């Protein structure tokens, strides 16, 4: 299917190029009697239009190939969710990030790592500095060498990154039937569909359809490529106990919180960049308005001036100049 779509659009692009070339050549033939400057202008226009036609055909080809890949994929496309932080003037829910970190620590950290997130990144987002220090001191870091050249174990600090669940990739594969759990630091940005895909994957476990054979140790999830996934369904109702009694720990709420947390780990500066864009827009609007006013003010005298040719004044000035010359 992918090759058929690509071949169709390649043929369409070639036909478009030939038609544009014929059109431009006929237009050029009609103007062959024009001057040399006109011929140069038509030639430049012909090149520009040909380049535009080729660029448009290439864009259509790329769009068709991407659409064919989506249409021929072997997994169900996730439904669009209304995430609060997707608005223009909205930020990531810090309470949801805090609950999502709890879900990650209690459910996901035994298999998945966050090797690009340090404990200092949690300060001001989902916990205070003292809470982050206490959280970091709960791990043991193998550090060194010291002044004597020896390695030692010490409590964690804010500058330390979150620990890996396995010492190496081989140990991770051995503990998960040959499947290595991916790092979750940038998982939302790394997967097509982003937050929608992660949420659908966590809540989309179901029984396999008739005729679908699963190997031992695999589970069926229609949102995962191929349908067979090594990670079992870990999120269910009340699988995590929240400290806030007003938030019900349903499976969808837990999945939403951990997805929001992973969205923040993928872009820790998400709110800062959005705030910067708002500031740039406000300042640019003011500067553009000021620049437009100054332009109108400075150029108004030049745009409204009028030049008159008065032969009488010129003759009088010429006579006056000759008289002054003769008097000398």
């Amino acid at each position: 299917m992918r090759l058929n779509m690509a071949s169709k659009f390649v043929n369409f692009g070639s036909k478009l190029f030939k038609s544009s070339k014929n059109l431009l050549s006929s237009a050029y033939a009609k103007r062959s009697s024009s001057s040399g400057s006109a011929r140069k202008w038509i030639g430049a226009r012909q090149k520009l239009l040909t380049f535009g036609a080729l660029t448009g055909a290439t864009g259509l080809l790329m769009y068709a190939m991407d659409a064919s890949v989506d249409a021929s994929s072997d997994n169900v496309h996730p439904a669009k969710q209304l995430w609060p932080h997707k608005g223009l003037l909205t930020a990531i829910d810090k309470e949801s990030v805090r609950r999502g970190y709890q879900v990650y620590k209690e459910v996901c950290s035994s298999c998945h790592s966050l090797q690009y997130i340090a404990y200092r990144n949690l300060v001001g987002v989902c916990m205070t500095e003292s809470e982050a220090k206490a959280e970091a001191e709960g791990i043991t870091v193998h550090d060194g060498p010291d002044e004597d050249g020896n390695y030692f174990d010490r409590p964690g600090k804010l500058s330390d990154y979150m620990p890996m669940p396995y010492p190496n990739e081989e140990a991770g594969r051995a503990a998960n039937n040959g499947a290595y759990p991916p790092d979750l630091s940038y998982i939302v940005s790394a997967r097509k569909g982003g937050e929608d895909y992660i949420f659908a994957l966590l809540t989309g476990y179901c029984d396999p359809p008739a005729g679908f054979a699963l190997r031992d140790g695999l589970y069926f999830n229609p949102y995962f490529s191929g349908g067979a996934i090594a990670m079992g369904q870990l999120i269910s109702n009340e699988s995590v106990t929240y400290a806030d009694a007003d938030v019900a720990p349903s499976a969808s709420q837990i999945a939403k919180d951990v997805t929001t947390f992973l969205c923040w780990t993928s872009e820790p500066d998400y709110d800062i960049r959005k705030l910067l864009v708002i500031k740039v827009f406000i300042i640019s609007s003011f500067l553009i308005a000021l620049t437009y006013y100054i332009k109108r003010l400075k150029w108004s005298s030049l745009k409204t001036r009028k030049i008159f040719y008065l032969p009488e004044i010129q003759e009088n000035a010429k006579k006056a100049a000759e008289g002054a010359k003769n008097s000398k």
Side-chain angles (χ1 to χ4, degrees), residues 176-244:
N176 294 275
N177 297 325
Y180 183 68
D183 182 79
L184 299 182
S185 301
Y186 300 104
I187 194 67
V188 172
S189 298
R191 296 294 184 268
K192 188 171 184 177
E195 300 96 323
D196 298 329
Y197 169 76
I198 302 299
F199 180 83
L201 184 71
L202 294 175
T203 58
Y205 287 88
C206 60
D207 295 330
F212 190 93
L214 282 174
R215 293 183 299 168
D216 293 339
L218 297 181
Y219 306 88
F220 180 75
N221 193 314
Y223 297 99
F224 189 75
S225 179
I229 185 172
M231 182 181 70
Q233 185 175 5
L234 302 177
I235 293 179
S236 58
N237 294 331
E238 299 182 355
S239 58
V240 176
T241 302
Y242 288 145
D244 190 356

Side-chain angles (χ1 to χ4, degrees), residues 92 96-102 104-105 114 117 122 126 162 185 188 256-266:
I92 294 180
S96 184
V97 172
R98 185 183 183 94
R99 295 192 299 269
Y101 174 69
Q102 178 186 349
Y104 165 78
K105 186 171 63 173
L114 282 176
I117 300 297
L122 302 175
C126 59
M162 294 189 179
S185 301
V188 172
K256 180 246 181 191
D257 291 335
V258 72
T259 302
T260 304
F261 171 71
L262 295 178
C263 176
W264 170 78
T265 60
S266 296

